[in-house]
Amino acid sequence: MRRRLLAAPVVPAPEPWQRIAYVPVGGLLGIGFASHPDTGHDLVMVVSHDGHGLFHAVTGVKIARDPDPDPEDSTPDAVADLSCPGLGPIAGSRVHIAGLFGGGLHTTTADGWTLEVVIPAWPHERVLLSGDGGLPHLGPHGEQWWHIFHSDYSELRAAGFSPSGQTIAVATSSDVSLWTRVTDQSPADGSEASPKDATPPDMA
């Protein structure tokens, strides 16, 4: 299994997943998910040494920023539930943050996708997306499981799905990468695609 994981190159996530954003964030500490109160779309909150930011998970656009949060709320370890106050459209709520101080994101979706972090060559983590139930992967790479991210340049902070199952986020100490399966024809409250219907990426 270790040899198999080491031999698997990074490939694009399969349909219907689309990588929509790579956001450099120096000194990133953690991330969390929230829902837009008007549209229901996923939002990603990023906590770093430089403040808090809020991103739209369908477009990757930053929609709010607080460069100077109150000291008692600047990092999630200040409270027992590892949360920070929301900002922008989710001001007045709190967002659970997963990352340097602990916590975690969803690793499965209701329709069968699985996300795993493996370390066949410590200390560099690899993020695997699968539609075959997770390790051990019996099917071929690029058809039933995909190595979508290799953290070989920064420390991995968190990786997982949004509660809706429509967004994948991978955060390192220096950046955030986002994938979505929401399109104009597939709103956040629509039906979810099944991994069995996914088209493998072109391996040529």
Side-chain angles (χ1 to χ4, degrees):
M1 176 59 70
R2 180 175 180 272
R3 288 195 298 269
R4 196 173 189 200
L5 294 175
L6 286 171
V10 176
V11 296
E15 294 182 1
W17 296 103
Q18 302 175 51
R19 187 168 181 172
I20 51 93
Y22 165 82
V23 183
V25 184
L28 187 149
L29 301 175
I31 60 172
F33 283 107
S35 296
H36 195 291
D38 297 327
T39 65
H41 282 145
D42 290 334
L43 304 176
V44 180
M45 182 170 171
V46 177
V47 175
S48 76
H49 289 300
D50 293 327
H52 300 170
L54 191 69
F55 295 84
H56 195 294
V58 177
T59 64
V61 172
K62 182 189 294 182
I63 58 177
R65 184 170 185 266
D66 183 357
D68 189 25
D70 292 336
E72 63 269 21
D73 281 319
S74 62
T75 59
D77 60 321
V79 294
D81 64 352
L82 297 177
S83 68
C84 286
L87 63 161
I90 57 170
S93 63
R94 297 191 68 88
V95 180
H96 296 286
I97 303 298
L100 181 63
F101 300 107
L105 304 175
H106 289 250
T107 58
T108 61
T109 68
D111 59 339
W113 293 98
T114 300
L115 204 69
E116 299 162 296
V117 176
V118 297
I119 317 176
W122 189 88
H124 303 307
E125 295 96 337
R126 300 162 191 239
V127 180
L128 309 181
L129 175 67
S130 66
D132 64 357
L135 291 172
H137 295 297
L138 301 178
H141 177 247
E143 294 184 16
Q144 292 180 293
W145 62 284
W146 299 262
H147 174 196
I148 64 170
F149 189 91
H150 190 178
S151 183
D152 58 354
Y153 57 90
S154 297
E155 294 181 4
L156 189 73
R157 291 287 188 250
F161 297 102
S162 61
S164 72
Q166 300 288 351
T167 302
I168 297 171
V170 177
T172 76
S173 57
S174 62
D175 52 69
V176 179
S177 295
L178 300 174
W179 292 257
T180 185
R181 53 175 169 165
V182 176
T183 66
D184 291 340
Q185 291 76 36
S186 174
D189 59 354
S191 60
E192 297 180 347
S194 167
K196 297 181 178 61
D197 299 327
T199 301
D202 186 356
M203 299 300 291

